[in-house]
């Protein structure tokens, strides 16, 4: 059920730069999650976003991170000043009866 | 807090062998349980799920039964194929629209 797309598929950035990762639902959903997966490690929850507000966030989701729904459809995850340890796959997931994940964005911080 | 424990991998099998990947969980309440699969270079795909005790989830020849008494949700397949080679993640969601809590993943390698 590939109803979520993510752009870009791969982002390479320099340490300290800002990145914006986008999640585009094909149908209109109100409830989205962001997760990340450091290479070879477990998938970790970052933040949940419901009806244009953060409903829950993890310890990982510090002040460097923010989420928005800038145009009423796309969801964005922004990292203000990237660090080397932010290198990971970032997944968004839409929620219906379960969570359906997008294909992910691979972020590489150099 | 809630947690999921999976057997460490990699699990290496020959084609047509029987597969078991163990998963146990710790949670308050009555969680829903999931198996997700991640093929090389791809995202996470839902493989199967079970929402209450004794439910059996099944898909593509894979099965898992929600065992509340042993807090387990082991993944099984009777005859694996090379195309099943992937990383398998067990996960739980406690109630409603809460976040998924994942295990560390188990890599399965199937050789011809």
């Amino acid at each position: 059920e590939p109803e979520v797309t993510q752009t870009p598929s791969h982002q390479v950035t320099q340490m300290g730069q800002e990145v914006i990762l986008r999640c585009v639902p094909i149908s209109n959903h109100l409830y989205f999650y962001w997760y990340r997966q450091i290479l070879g490690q477990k998938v970790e929850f970052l933040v949940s976003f419901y009806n244009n507000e953060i409903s829950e966030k993890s310890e990982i989701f510090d002040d460097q991170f923010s989420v928005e729904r800038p145009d009423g459809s796309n969801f964005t995850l922004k990292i203000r000043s990237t660090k080397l340890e932010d290198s990971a796959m970032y997944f968004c997931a839409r929620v219906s009866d379960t969570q359906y994940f997008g294909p992910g964005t691979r972020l590489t911080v150099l | 807090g809630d947690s999921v424990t999976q057997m460490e991998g990699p699990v290496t099998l020959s084609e047509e062998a029987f597969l078991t990947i163990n998963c146990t969980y710790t949670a308050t309440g009555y969680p829903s349980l999931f198996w997700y699969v991640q093929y090389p270079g791809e995202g996470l795909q839902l493989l199967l799920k079970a929402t209450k005790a004794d439910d059996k989830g099944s898909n593509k020849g894979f099965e898992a039964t929600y065992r509340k008494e042993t807090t387990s949700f082991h993944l099984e397949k009777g005859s694996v194929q090379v195309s099943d080679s992937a990383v398998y993640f067990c996960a739980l969601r406690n109630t409603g629209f809460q976040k998924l809590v994942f295990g560390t993943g188990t890599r399965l390698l199937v050789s011809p």
Side-chain angles (χ1 to χ4, degrees), chain A residues 19-104:
Chain A
V19 295
I20 297 176
L21 312 181
R22 290 182 172 80
C23 177
V24 183
I26 294 177
S27 53
N28 192 28
H29 290 276
L30 295 177
Y31 218 137
F32 271 80
Y33 286 77
W34 283 97
Y35 294 83
R36 80 172 184 189
Q37 182 187 27
I38 295 172
L39 184 64
Q41 299 186 23
K42 70 193 303 183
V43 179
E44 301 173 292
F45 166 73
L46 288 176
V47 64
S48 59
F49 194 74
Y50 175 69
N51 202 22
N52 298 323
E53 291 186 358
I54 291 174
S55 58
E56 186 181 2
K57 61 182 181 179
S58 72
E59 295 175 349
I60 303 168
F61 194 86
D62 60 21
D63 292 343
Q64 295 285 78
F65 291 88
S66 62
V67 287
E68 289 182 346
R69 195 177 190 191
D71 56 7
S73 59
N74 298 346
F75 292 82
T76 62
L77 174 69
K78 182 190 293 186
I79 309 174
R80 292 187 180 81
S81 178
T82 50
K83 303 185 286 289
L84 294 176
E85 54 265 36
D86 293 327
S87 294
M89 284 289 290
Y90 289 82
F91 296 103
C92 73
R94 73 160 182 89
V95 179
S96 57
D97 58 321
T98 185
Q99 293 189 23
Y100 297 95
F101 284 75

Side-chain angles (χ1 to χ4, degrees), chain B residues 56-74:
Chain B
K56 177 185 283 189
S58 62
N59 186 25
K60 300 180 181 179
F62 291 89
E63 293 182 339
T65 301
Y66 188 162
R67 301 287 188 199
K68 187 169 170 56
E69 64 276 13
T70 54
T71 61
S72 65
F73 193 55
H74 304 322

Side-chain angles (χ1 to χ4, degrees), chain B residues 3 13 25 33 37 45 61 64 68 77 85 90 92 103 108-109:
Chain B
S3 66
L13 295 173
Y25 68 90
L33 301 173
V37 59
Q45 298 177 27
K68 187 169 170 56
K77 187 175 185 183
S85 297
C90 185
L92 69 82
L108 171 65
L109 300 171

Side-chain angles (χ1 to χ4, degrees), chain A residues 35 42-43 45, chain B residues 2-4 90-94 99-103:
Chain A
Y35 294 83
K42 70 193 303 183
V43 179
F45 166 73
Chain B
D2 298 344
S3 66
V4 175
C90 185
L92 69 82
R93 185 187 71 209
N94 206 322
K99 62 182 181 289
L100 287 168
V101 176
F102 285 87

